[in-house]
């Protein structure tokens, strides 16, 4: 589990760079690229469900629960807003915002999740949580303030 958590930001960053390259090369096909991403996510999710079912011999969703309005609403929200809309907006933004900058913005997601959990769910933030948030912000500031290797850093 820890290895997956460490690899996740690296994979997100690499995917943004690849997506930005495709969108710059084929700007009129941004929606098709987004559709491919959503389709790939759906297929990967179905594969995970199948593997989970085969290895744990348990139905992924209790048939009685699938007709529950809250379950249907949660599935629709996850598919339409948390996945499809987010991918569409990300691809739209990558037309104008470099992948390196968008990766820094996405890197703040855990910080925002913690802040909203504290505000909306009354979660308690510990000193370690605050320190982690400060490290995330420091990394973001460092990421956007460090000149790239193509910059001379001085006057010409």
């Amino acid at each position: 589990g820890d290895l997956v958590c460490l690899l996740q930001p690296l994979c997100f960053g690499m995917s943004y760079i690849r997506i930005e390259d495709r969108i710059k090369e084929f700007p009129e096909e941004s929606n098709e690229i987004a559709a491919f991403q959503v389709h790939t996510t759906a297929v990967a999710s179905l594969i995970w469900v199948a593997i989970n079912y085969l290895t744990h011999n348990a139905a992924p969703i209790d048939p009685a629960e699938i007709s529950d309005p809250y379950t249907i609403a949660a599935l629709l929200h996850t598919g339409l807003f948390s996945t499809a809309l987010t991918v569409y907006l990300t691809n739209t933004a990558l037309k104008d915002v470099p992948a390196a900058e968008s990766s820094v913005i996405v890197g703040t997601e855990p910080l925002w999740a913690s802040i909203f959990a504290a505000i909306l769910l009354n979660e308690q933030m510990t000193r370690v949580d605050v320190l982690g948030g400060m490290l995330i912000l420091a990394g973001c500031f460092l990421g956007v303030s460090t000149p790239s290797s193509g910059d001379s850093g001085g006057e010409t």
Side-chain angles (χ1 to χ4, degrees):
D2 290 342
L3 180 60
V4 172
C5 289
L6 289 172
L7 289 176
Q8 186 262 349
L10 177 65
C11 292
F12 260 108
M14 290 180 354
S15 73
Y16 285 166
I17 291 169
R18 298 281 305 183
I19 293 165
E20 179 189 33
D21 290 344
R22 296 294 76 77
I23 289 175
K24 297 285 189 219
E25 188 175 348
F26 307 105
E28 68 284 349
E29 296 180 9
S30 174
N31 291 341
E32 288 83 354
I33 293 169
F36 178 78
Q37 290 173 263
V38 171
H39 179 262
T40 302
T41 301
V43 169
S45 297
L46 289 173
I47 290 170
W48 178 83
V49 167
I51 290 171
N52 190 49
Y53 175 72
L54 293 173
T55 58
H56 293 94
N57 198 22
I61 298 175
D62 182 1
E65 291 180 0
I66 196 65
S67 61
D68 177 51
Y70 292 110
T71 302
I72 294 170
L75 289 172
L76 286 173
H77 179 273
T78 300
L80 296 176
F81 295 104
S82 299
T83 304
L85 180 63
T86 303
V87 168
Y88 170 77
L89 292 174
T90 299
N91 286 1
T92 301
L94 283 173
K95 290 179 182 179
D96 300 316
V97 178
E101 289 181 26
S102 63
S103 293
V104 169
I105 294 167
V106 171
T108 63
E109 180 191 2
L111 177 62
W112 292 109
S114 297
I115 290 170
F116 281 113
I119 294 170
L120 299 174
L121 303 174
N122 294 321
E123 290 286 329
Q124 298 299 313
M125 303 252 326
T126 67
R127 289 181 181 169
V128 172
D129 296 331
V130 173
L131 177 62
M134 290 170 36
L135 288 173
I136 289 171
L137 288 176
C140 291
F141 288 128
L142 183 64
V144 295
S145 65
T146 304
S148 66
S149 59
D151 293 343
S152 63
E155 295 182 26
T156 55

